[in-house]
Amino acid sequence: MVTRTTAGAEGDVVVLLIGMRINRFWAVHLWLPVMLGMLRMLRDLRKEPERGLLSHVLLTASPRTYYVVQYWESKDKLYAYATASDAFHHKAWARLNRKERAGKLRGQVGIWHESYVVPEGSYEAIYGDMPAFGLAAAHGQIPLEQRGRYAKDRLAHRTQRAPVAEKSG
């Protein structure tokens, strides 16, 4: 019997895809620092969970393209990390910008990111005999029946919030 679960996410889900493409393999001295910088940022974020990174998955699209799928607590925490002057990201981004302006990268390595804020009711997940992965690693894993057997039921899920009492006066 297959054990089926879903992600226990409630509310909006914030996802960042960030990666690099090696345009010239022989330019190791240019692309390796980019790769190592991303690994350091992930290590630092694991040590500082208050920054808001909930989980991440390292992936490769080809021998040239490597990326990370990141799940964040909120877009505000993602923005705060991206602009935090005390974070390694700030130093790494400044260094990369200086190299680009000086023409030192010359198309040897490409970088990219995509950010998504996915409203509740616009995402769903199913995992069959899987440990917590992806969205479930970020937000917890729950039995499928709690959100519905079918994708349309899981997409229709809305967090049950207690009504806000009106102030009289």
Side-chain angles (χ1 to χ4, degrees):
M1 175 113 182
V2 175
T3 301
R4 293 180 191 239
T5 59
T6 190
E10 295 188 350
D12 293 348
V13 169
V14 179
V15 182
L16 173 69
L17 307 178
I18 186 165
M20 61 174 280
R21 182 179 189 277
I22 300 168
N23 294 331
R24 304 272 191 269
F25 282 111
W26 50 264
V28 176
H29 66 289
L30 295 174
W31 60 259
L32 186 59
V34 175
M35 184 178 284
L36 294 176
M38 176 53 72
L39 295 174
R40 177 171 172 194
M41 283 179 239
L42 292 171
R43 186 180 67 237
D44 289 353
L45 283 162
R46 273 193 301 275
K47 291 178 185 175
E48 299 180 78
E50 65 278 4
R51 296 256 194 204
L53 180 66
L54 299 174
S55 185
H56 70 276
V57 179
L58 294 165
L59 298 167
T60 183
S62 72
R64 292 183 179 275
T65 306
Y66 300 88
Y67 65 106
V68 185
V69 179
Q70 298 179 355
Y71 299 91
W72 285 80
E73 193 175 313
S74 68
K75 68 179 177 183
D76 293 334
K77 291 220 174 176
L78 174 59
Y79 296 155
Y81 177 72
T83 59
S85 60
D86 65 325
F88 178 71
H89 174 268
H90 189 272
K91 291 179 214 166
W93 189 244
R95 188 178 313 130
L96 189 68
N97 281 332
R98 281 192 304 274
K99 284 182 179 181
E100 272 187 341
R101 280 192 299 274
K104 292 182 180 178
L105 294 181
R106 294 182 303 278
Q108 307 300 311
V109 61
I111 59 166
W112 59 276
H113 85 259
E114 299 174 0
S115 305
Y116 302 95
V117 178
V118 187
E120 184 172 51
S122 298
Y123 55 84
E124 70 91 24
I126 186 170
Y127 308 94
D129 290 331
M130 285 283 296
F133 181 83
L135 191 59
H139 291 276
Q141 193 169 24
I142 61 173
L144 190 66
E145 297 76 34
Q146 286 186 0
R147 293 284 167 83
R149 182 173 175 199
Y150 302 103
K152 67 182 175 90
D153 299 326
R154 293 188 300 278
L155 281 166
H157 173 79
R158 298 293 187 277
T159 303
Q160 300 300 317
R161 294 187 177 99
V164 177
E166 288 187 30
K167 295 181 183 179
S168 59

